[in-house]
Amino acid sequence: MEITILGTSSAIPIPGRNLSGTVLKYENEHILFDCGEGTQFSIRKLQLHPSKIKTICITHLHGDHAFGLPGLISGINYSNKSDYLTIIGPQGIKELLDVSQKHQQFFADFPIEIRELEFMESPGVVYESAYYSISAVSLNHRIPAFGYRFDEHTRSGKLDVDLAEKLGVQKGPLFRELKEGRSVLSESGKLISPSDVLAEPKPSKSFCYITDTRYCSRSIALAKGCDLMMHEATYLHELKAKADETGHSTALEAAMIAKEAGVKKLVLFHYSARYPNLNPLYREAISVFPATQMGNDLETLRIE
Amino acid sequence: MEITILGTSSAIPIPGRNLSGTVLKYENEHILFDCGEGTQFSIRKLQLHPSKIKTICITHLHGDHAFGLPGLISGINYSNKSDYLTIIGPQGIKELLDVSQKHQQFFADFPIEIRELEFMESPGVVYESAYYSISAVSLNHRIPAFGYRFDEHTRSGKLDVDLAEKLGVQKGPLFRELKEGRSVLSESGKLISPSDVLAEPKPSKSFCYITDTRYCSRSIALAKGCDLMMHEATYLHELKAKADETGHSTALEAAMIAKEAGVKKLVLFHYSARYPNLNPLYREAISVFPATQMGNDLETLRIE
């Protein structure tokens, strides 16, 4: 499972820091979190296939997180291979895309499902596939904003084929029953339970994406125990008043969320252009949460 | 007078070719023609000041020519120095920006005047300042599209101060009268006309920007005799059927327009991504119009 950061700048792009967008690569599918202007350029630069993007989660509609959406959809359409797209985000996305389609005539030759979220006090599942689920919770910004969490479904351990056959389980449909967690009968009529023949379940991976929010206890509930949390760190804590006024977090607050949620790793991003040097933000965060890393544009993070 | 091309790709960005946008620098003001996604990035890369953009002319609303508009307006607003902005383009721009403002809350702390054009059979002035005018005419694309022409106002020649004083014209308000083209009386009561004391008027410069159109006789009327015409050349003429179907021109057709309009120089742009090598397009154009140049991204052209 790989996570590639497309942009780490807040509000305006500066040299070396583009606007928000992060791609999670899971199996043969890409999930995109946020889509600031220029997202389609970074996706092409990284030679990712736009048509592999099947799900887009938009935190909120401010331009630096959403102006790239119509361009990216056009790009996916040009790639000519997509079969469907799900877009999840705050209310308003549908009208924005409808008006853009009406006047700009960008069409998608594939169905687009838009899921507009209402206020969510507690984390809830907003998307579910056979292999993973995506949850969301409302954040605390100037306009409706949502944090997202990706959870891989627990995957069963490997079946010990030799052992199963030795216990008298016939190869075929019974193997599938065992893999899916159901007990079966052996040839001699003995009950064989999955734990008899399956290795330990593989640990499922989780990722959390939280940006454009003041320090928010709902973020802690969302990020609880996850493997990797990306969290915005727009300001140093000395600008806490400005952070509150503009609806953002300080590096210290991001680290506090990471600590309280017990995440394994914190990756900061969404830096104010006033910080050409990110070291002060880093030092502030590691004072509270040592397992912090500064996110960089076009960097790929791995969850092993 | 300088013209900087921001992007030469049609439809989708490819390495080295961004989407449409061209900046005309006149005195201390920038006029932008088209605003594809990423225009604000190129403007920053070139260290142009977003706040110097006072007029934006949009040919049509397809995304590769207009998706960058809300981001650029946000960028102008962040630069904190703009006093006004005029946006000229087809009907629909106003609703697009209104809906974007409603949901995305990007605000401009300066007035924005939006002039929506209706079908124009003949070139007509759509913007006039003290120093120049901008005309437009309808093109022939799949949706309403307009070509634009910039014309510097004729500037009077230099006043021969010594001669004027020798002829008995008092220095002061009478000099201004002469410069503005009105005759005055000398101290001895003799009528002095501007042509007695002014050098030849300086030739005024002109520029024409035509893209996303089939071969169109209205383009010839618009570009008549201009110093420099940028014209799209999406395809080679061997793909004339595809050009007609998609509402575009071939390099040969662009050259024919240049020849029939008697422009001084033709600069091609808006190339299909199918042409990594532009030489065939160039050869096709110069066979009809030798004063052709291939436009490149981030290239600056000068009209002397």
Side-chain angles (χ1 to χ4, degrees):
Chain A
M1 190 163 126
E2 286 186 354
I3 289 133
T4 300
I5 305 173
L6 306 179
T8 60
S9 191
S10 67
I12 51 167
I14 63 169
R17 290 190 207 154
N18 282 318
L19 300 174
S20 290
T22 288
V23 178
L24 186 155
K25 286 173 263 180
Y26 183 74
E27 304 289 342
N28 204 31
E29 183 183 330
H30 299 338
I31 299 160
L32 178 68
F33 296 89
D34 278 340
C35 188
E37 184 175 353
T39 293
Q40 64 161 323
F41 302 170
S42 303
I43 282 175
R44 282 172 201 282
K45 193 186 278 179
L46 290 164
Q47 300 190 297
L48 301 175
H49 294 289
S51 61
K52 284 193 179 172
I53 298 172
K54 300 295 182 201
T55 315
I56 302 176
C57 302
I58 301 290
T59 57
H60 66 302
L61 294 180
H62 277 152
D64 52 330
H65 297 256
F67 279 158
L69 207 43
L72 179 68
I73 295 171
S74 303
I76 294 174
N77 203 42
Y78 272 104
S79 75
N80 244 348
K81 282 179 206 152
S82 204
D83 40 6
Y84 67 92
L85 178 65
T86 304
I87 301 173
I88 304 163
Q91 292 184 309
I93 286 196
K94 200 171 161 3
E95 188 181 1
L96 274 170
L97 292 178
D98 282 350
V99 171
S100 183
Q101 285 200 322
K102 172 178 156 195
H103 292 298
Q104 310 197 279
Q105 301 197 347
F106 79 89
F107 291 111
D109 297 328
F110 49 87
I112 299 180
E113 187 199 347
I114 297 175
R115 299 189 186 176
E116 292 192 331
L117 308 180
E118 293 186 24
F119 184 84
M120 298 174 77
E121 178 62 40
S122 309
V125 172
V126 293
Y127 185 87
E128 182 118 37
S129 86
Y131 307 104
Y132 63 85
S133 66
I134 298 173
S135 311
V137 80
S138 284
L139 302 176
N140 178 359
H141 192 43
R142 307 198 299 278
I143 60 173
F146 296 86
Y148 292 97
R149 176 183 175 126
F150 169 97
D151 277 293
E152 185 183 32
H153 288 171
T154 304
R155 294 190 295 174
S156 59
K158 202 171 152 59
L159 177 75
D160 188 332
V161 173
D162 290 344
L163 179 60
E165 287 183 339
K166 211 166 118 187
L167 291 174
V169 182
Q170 268 199 320
K171 205 170 171 177
L174 294 181
F175 276 24
R176 165 170 286 272
E177 292 287 308
L178 285 165
K179 277 185 190 167
E180 290 178 354
R182 290 180 289 275
S183 297
V184 300
L185 286 176
S186 72
E187 285 174 333
S188 62
K190 198 181 154 199
L191 193 70
I192 308 293
S193 76
S195 60
D196 295 334
V197 291
L198 292 180
E200 280 293 296
K202 293 177 193 165
S204 59
K205 295 164 189 164
S206 53
F207 166 72
C208 201
Y209 180 87
I210 297 174
T211 189
D212 287 54
T213 183
R214 299 178 185 92
Y215 175 94
C216 177
S217 59
R218 290 187 294 270
S219 302
I220 300 169
L222 184 71
K224 210 78 194 167
C226 82
D227 290 313
L228 192 159
M229 173 175 75
M230 282 180 65
H231 196 291
E232 71 135 300
T234 310
Y235 299 109
L236 280 172
H237 207 66
E238 65 189 21
L239 290 185
K240 162 78 173 150
K242 189 164 181 66
D244 280 344
E245 181 201 330
T246 57
H248 288 294
S249 299
T250 68
L252 191 77
E253 288 172 324
M256 284 164 62
I257 296 284
K259 190 178 175 183
E260 289 168 62
V263 308
K264 296 210 181 83
K265 190 176 189 178
L266 166 65
V267 175
L268 299 181
F269 75 116
H270 199 271
Y271 315 119
S272 163
R274 77 189 58 214
Y275 303 117
N277 179 349
L278 299 174
N279 285 338
L281 292 157
Y282 178 63
R283 281 196 297 269
E284 188 169 281
I286 57 167
S287 73
V288 169
F289 191 77
T292 299
Q293 179 179 333
M294 302 306 287
N296 295 305
D297 276 54
L298 306 187
E299 180 176 32
T300 293
L301 312 161
R302 279 179 187 81
I303 300 180
E304 304 299 349
Chain B
M1 191 163 125
E2 285 185 356
I3 289 131
T4 300
I5 304 172
L6 305 180
T8 60
S9 191
S10 68
I12 51 166
I14 62 168
R17 290 189 207 156
N18 282 317
L19 300 173
S20 290
T22 288
V23 178
L24 186 155
K25 287 174 262 181
Y26 184 73
E27 303 290 341
N28 203 32
E29 185 183 327
H30 299 338
I31 299 159
L32 178 66
F33 296 90
D34 277 340
C35 189
E37 183 175 354
T39 293
Q40 64 161 325
F41 303 169
S42 303
I43 282 175
R44 283 171 201 280
K45 192 186 277 179
L46 291 164
Q47 300 192 298
L48 301 175
H49 294 288
S51 62
K52 284 193 178 172
I53 298 171
K54 300 297 182 200
T55 314
I56 302 177
C57 301
I58 301 289
T59 57
H60 66 303
L61 295 180
H62 278 153
D64 52 328
H65 297 256
F67 279 157
L69 207 45
L72 180 68
I73 295 171
S74 304
I76 294 174
N77 202 43
Y78 271 104
S79 74
N80 244 349
K81 282 181 205 152
S82 204
D83 39 7
Y84 66 92
L85 179 65
T86 304
I87 301 174
I88 303 164
Q91 292 184 311
I93 287 197
K94 200 168 163 0
E95 188 181 1
L96 274 170
L97 292 177
D98 282 351
V99 171
S100 182
Q101 285 201 323
K102 172 178 156 197
H103 293 297
Q104 311 197 277
Q105 301 199 346
F106 80 90
F107 292 111
D109 296 329
F110 50 86
I112 299 180
E113 187 198 346
I114 297 175
R115 299 188 187 176
E116 292 192 332
L117 307 180
E118 294 187 22
F119 184 83
M120 298 174 76
E121 177 63 40
S122 309
V125 171
V126 293
Y127 185 86
E128 182 116 40
S129 87
Y131 307 105
Y132 63 85
S133 65
I134 297 173
S135 310
V137 81
S138 285
L139 301 176
N140 178 1
H141 192 43
R142 306 198 299 277
I143 60 173
F146 295 87
Y148 292 97
R149 176 183 174 125
F150 169 97
D151 276 292
E152 185 182 32
H153 287 169
T154 304
R155 293 189 295 175
S156 59
K158 202 171 152 58
L159 176 75
D160 188 333
V161 173
D162 290 345
L163 179 61
E165 286 181 339
K166 213 166 120 185
L167 291 174
V169 182
Q170 268 198 320
K171 205 171 171 173
L174 294 180
F175 276 25
R176 166 169 287 271
E177 293 286 310
L178 285 165
K179 277 185 191 168
E180 290 179 353
R182 291 179 290 274
S183 298
V184 300
L185 287 175
S186 72
E187 282 172 335
S188 62
K190 197 181 156 198
L191 192 70
I192 309 293
S193 76
S195 61
D196 295 334
V197 291
L198 293 180
E200 281 293 298
K202 293 176 192 166
S204 58
K205 294 163 189 163
S206 52
F207 166 71
C208 203
Y209 180 88
I210 297 175
T211 189
D212 287 55
T213 183
R214 299 177 185 93
Y215 175 93
C216 177
S217 59
R218 292 187 294 270
S219 302
I220 300 168
L222 184 72
K224 209 80 197 167
C226 83
D227 291 314
L228 193 160
M229 173 175 75
M230 281 178 67
H231 196 292
E232 70 135 298
T234 310
Y235 299 110
L236 281 172
H237 206 68
E238 65 190 20
L239 290 184
K240 162 79 173 150
K242 187 162 183 66
D244 280 344
E245 179 202 332
T246 57
H248 288 293
S249 299
T250 66
L252 191 77
E253 289 173 322
M256 283 164 64
I257 295 284
K259 188 177 177 184
E260 289 168 63
V263 308
K264 296 209 181 86
K265 191 177 188 176
L266 166 65
V267 175
L268 298 181
F269 75 116
H270 199 271
Y271 316 119
S272 163
R274 77 188 60 214
Y275 303 117
N277 178 348
L278 299 175
N279 285 339
L281 292 158
Y282 178 64
R283 280 196 296 268
E284 188 169 282
I286 58 168
S287 72
V288 170
F289 191 77
T292 298
Q293 180 180 332
M294 301 308 286
N296 296 305
D297 276 52
L298 306 187
E299 179 176 34
T300 294
L301 312 160
R302 281 179 185 80
I303 300 180
E304 305 297 349

